Amino acid sequence: NKACREIFERITNKGKSKKLALIAVSNKLLKQAFAIAKSGLPYDETYVSVLSK
């Protein structure tokens, strides 16, 4: 997953531990999985969330 790799690299480049970066990536994947299960839509890598105001 390209987005997860970017998060991992961004956190580790800041000097944080790899374990912290893996936890952040895991959290993102859990949120994605929950959103997919809740909406019933297939995963779309190009999807951008638009919140109504």
Side-chain angles (χ1 to χ4, degrees):
N1 190 338
K2 185 178 178 183
C4 291
R5 179 173 295 280
E6 290 172 358
I7 289 173
F8 181 83
E9 290 174 354
R10 185 179 70 228
I11 292 173
T12 54
N13 288 340
K14 287 182 180 179
K16 304 291 183 179
S17 69
K18 289 183 179 181
K19 188 172 186 178
L20 182 85
L22 286 175
I23 292 169
V25 169
S26 299
N27 191 23
K28 180 176 179 62
L29 288 173
L30 280 172
K31 288 180 182 180
Q32 285 179 348
F34 181 75
I36 291 168
K38 187 175 177 183
S39 69
L41 298 173
Y43 177 73
D44 180 14
E45 190 172 319
T46 60
Y47 179 78
V48 177
S49 177
V50 180
L51 300 175
S52 60
K53 293 183 179 182

